[in-house]
Amino acid sequence: MLSNVTKYHIPGSLGEALSLHNRESRSYFLAGGTGLALSDSNRPVELIDLDDLELDELEVDREAGRLLIGATRKIQQVVGCPDLEGFADGYLQDGLEKVGSYPIRNAGTLGGSIVRPFPWSDVIPILLALDATILYFDRSHEKRELSRLYDDDFRPTLRNAIVTGIEVSLPDEGVTRGSFQKFSRSEFDVASLNVGCTITERDGEIVKARMAVGARPSFATRLTEVEESLKGRSLNEDLIYETAELASQTAAVSSDRKMSKEYRVAQVRKMAEDALRDITSEFN
Amino acid sequence: MNITIEINDEDKEFQVKPGEILLDLLRREGYTSVKEGCKAGDCGACMVLVNGRAMTSCTLYAAQVDGKRITTLEGLNDELADSLRQEFLDVGAIQCGFCIPGVLISSYSLLTHNPNPTEGEIKAALDGNLCRCTGYIKQIEAIKNVARDLEGGNNERRREKI
Ligand SMILES: Cc1cc2nc3c(=O)[nH]c(=O)nc-3n(C[C@H](O)[C@H](O)[C@H](O)COP(=O)(O)OP(=O)(O)OC[C@H]3O[C@@H](n4cnc5c(N)ncnc54)[C@H](O)[C@@H]3O)c2cc1C
């Protein structure tokens, strides 16, 4: 219960929602509520429900490899969407199915999952490995790469913007496949470590690779050195070992209550290897 | 603020605080099948159907369900719900019983959307429900039995036993 909340707004347009937010510095946008409702903070005094803004569209062009998902689309509505089957060989849907539990995915939205960089988020590394672009409204409609969303200089902008959607464009040529690996203490627990990886191959050669590691224990980042080292090569056992080793050396991991730094290093190696092996088996 | 909810097939108006959680409203209004467990979205004891979809009522504000349809276990009175209740009793899928309203909501939601689930799909549907007594085995068995009976049109037997 947010005991200091005195007003609940249901704006009918993005402009109205943003004005309400700008008028009261202690107002919060509300999407699914699965993050906010658990807070017992004294700070929020107004809630701005985004439900009426019709930001839950899903447009997919499988042939062109393009996808637009509205920010208030529920995670389970993406997981269970028949139009999305086979997009990036099922990587997005399979990955998102590992987020929380069925009732949480039924309520939680994609937008609500990326605005705050929760360290253990699965959604962030899954989308980072798809090179997702975030659409937001900040008096005008703007875009920004997800990998740059949490840059220090952008945080004040993000704090006062409404995320409206997520765009994914797969490379024009080649076939993209991916694998998301999650390591948690139990089915119920959030990730202690997670790895998202996509590979685009053309004629047996890797034309694009993306790998992101999350719950390090800080929020997910891409392993650009690994991505570069994969370009122009062919997936085989030697490359899988070499890449997994490089991932474990370059992922910036540290210790927390769940895992020591050493354990995380070893796990990154194992999970990168599993992800690449998973992708290789799909290509073969 | 005032909200209107169609709850268990009845339109009701409630006065709520803007920051009030749905679970607290439901219990205050006497829907005691909705249990307060972890209050953190983890245990599933407070599960309800919102427009037919299973959600934890502790992670929703009451104001969010204004104009929506809520079903608690008290409102599940059709053949499928009766079959599930009876089968849970028959196979011994209930021990202390605290988690059962939530588990039944999940099971009902599963069989409504997918009448013939695999064991994996049953486990996935129950992954938001914590049960510290049964170890889930009997619950999974009960759901499988109901699905099998539904498929075979054998629901007469269940209704008679209730
Ligand atoms: C029990 C439990 C288990 C979970 N397990 C996992 C897990 O395994 N993996 C995982 O990745 N996540 C997990 N989550 C997190 C869950 O996915 C997030 O809570 C959820 O996605 C947040 O989305 P929401 O729509 O409910 O956001 P809300 O709670 O509505 O909002 C969250 C924050 O984002 C802001 N916000 C929301 N939407 C917008 C928008 N469009 N524009 C601007 N600001 C916005 C809000 O102001 C708020 O600060 C879990 C959560 C719970 C409760």
Side-chain angles (χ1 to χ4, degrees), chain A residues 187-242:
Chain A
E187 275 292 307
F188 278 82
D189 205 5
V190 292
S192 307
L193 196 72
N194 50 27
V195 174
C197 180
T198 64
I199 299 277
T200 307
E201 257 193 14
R202 193 184 48 217
D203 303 328
E205 189 179 288
I206 298 171
V207 288
K208 183 173 176 181
R210 288 288 176 265
M211 190 179 281
V213 176
R216 305 171 287 123
S218 38
F219 70 89
T221 52
R222 275 174 43 198
L223 305 185
T224 46
E225 228 176 293
V226 169
E227 295 169 359
E228 279 306 310
S229 79
L230 282 164
K231 251 170 59 186
R233 301 175 71 182
S234 300
L235 266 180
N236 56 38
E237 274 301 299
D238 289 345
L239 185 63
I240 290 174
Y241 278 117
E242 181 192 320

Side-chain angles (χ1 to χ4, degrees), chain A residues 91-103:
Chain A
Y91 164 75
L92 178 63
Q93 289 184 309
D94 291 350
L96 290 179
E97 199 166 13
K98 295 182 180 157
V99 172
S101 59
Y102 179 69

Side-chain angles (χ1 to χ4, degrees), chain A residues 139-165:
Chain A
R139 290 192 190 85
S140 55
H141 289 275
E142 308 285 349
K143 289 182 180 193
R144 193 170 171 99
E145 290 154 39
L146 175 62
S147 55
R148 295 174 54 227
L149 199 68
Y150 313 115
D151 290 356
D152 285 343
D153 63 331
F154 191 67
R155 286 195 190 212
T157 311
L158 184 59
R159 223 171 285 134
N160 293 307
I162 302 173
V163 169
T164 57

Side-chain angles (χ1 to χ4, degrees), chain A residues 1-2 5-8 30-34 36-38 47 49 51 100-107 187-188, chain B residues 1 17-21 39-42 47 53-56 58-61 63-64 68 109 127-130:
Chain A
M1 166 109 171
L2 295 173
V5 173
T6 54
K7 287 194 181 135
Y8 190 98
L30 174 67
T34 61
L36 265 186
L38 299 184
L47 294 176
D49 191 331
D51 206 33
S101 59
Y102 179 69
I104 294 298
R105 292 193 300 275
N106 267 340
E187 275 292 307
F188 278 82
Chain B
M1 64 188 287
K17 294 190 186 119
E20 186 168 351
I21 297 295
K39 239 187 171 178
D42 279 323
M47 199 99 78
R53 303 202 164 273
M55 296 187 195
T56 44
C58 70
T59 57
L60 285 169
Y61 291 101
Q64 278 179 281
K68 299 210 161 83
S109 160
D127 76 353
N129 296 94
L130 256 185

Side-chain angles (χ1 to χ4, degrees), chain A residues 13-255:
Chain A
S13 69
L14 283 169
E16 187 189 348
L18 201 62
S19 321
L20 286 164
H21 190 255
N22 291 342
R23 217 177 51 196
E24 170 53 67
S25 64
R26 289 169 64 185
S27 65
Y28 283 74
F29 295 121
L30 174 67
T34 61
L36 265 186
L38 299 184
S39 163
D40 52 6
S41 160
N42 287 329
R43 196 177 141 71
V45 293
E46 294 188 12
L47 294 176
I48 304 166
D49 191 331
L50 303 177
D51 206 33
D52 269 9
L53 300 184
E54 296 182 353
L55 296 175
D56 61 346
E57 71 272 38
L58 190 146
E59 287 169 28
V60 59
D61 180 343
R62 262 191 294 189
E63 239 157 67
R66 269 186 265 290
L67 171 66
L68 168 74
I69 308 177
T72 59
R73 184 92 180 179
K74 311 287 187 197
I75 296 172
Q76 187 61 30
Q77 288 178 326
V78 179
V79 171
C81 176
D83 291 348
L84 257 183
E85 271 168 31
F87 186 85
D89 204 38
Y91 164 75
L92 178 63
Q93 289 184 309
D94 291 350
L96 290 179
E97 199 166 13
K98 295 182 180 157
V99 172
S101 59
Y102 179 69
I104 294 298
R105 292 193 300 275
N106 267 340
T109 65
L110 276 188
S113 305
I114 55 171
V115 174
R116 308 270 170 266
F118 293 120
W120 37 261
S121 170
D122 297 316
V123 178
I124 295 172
I126 289 169
L127 292 177
L128 277 176
L130 279 172
D131 245 352
T133 301
I134 304 309
L135 313 180
Y136 64 94
F137 182 75
D138 168 27
R139 290 192 190 85
S140 55
H141 289 275
E142 308 285 349
K143 289 182 180 193
R144 193 170 171 99
E145 290 154 39
L146 175 62
S147 55
R148 295 174 54 227
L149 199 68
Y150 313 115
D151 290 356
D152 285 343
D153 63 331
F154 191 67
R155 286 195 190 212
T157 311
L158 184 59
R159 223 171 285 134
N160 293 307
I162 302 173
V163 169
T164 57
I166 290 146
E167 241 178 29
V168 174
S169 275
L170 300 180
D172 289 340
E173 287 177 277
V175 177
T176 303
R177 303 188 199 281
S179 174
F180 178 69
Q181 305 285 321
K182 176 173 180 175
F183 182 81
S184 57
R185 291 182 301 185
S186 69
E187 275 292 307
F188 278 82
D189 205 5
V190 292
S192 307
L193 196 72
N194 50 27
V195 174
C197 180
T198 64
I199 299 277
T200 307
E201 257 193 14
R202 193 184 48 217
D203 303 328
E205 189 179 288
I206 298 171
V207 288
K208 183 173 176 181
R210 288 288 176 265
M211 190 179 281
V213 176
R216 305 171 287 123
S218 38
F219 70 89
T221 52
R222 275 174 43 198
L223 305 185
T224 46
E225 228 176 293
V226 169
E227 295 169 359
E228 279 306 310
S229 79
L230 282 164
K231 251 170 59 186
R233 301 175 71 182
S234 300
L235 266 180
N236 56 38
E237 274 301 299
D238 289 345
L239 185 63
I240 290 174
Y241 278 117
E242 181 192 320
T243 308
E245 185 58 35
L246 184 63
S248 72
Q249 284 166 13
T250 53
V253 297
S254 55
S255 301

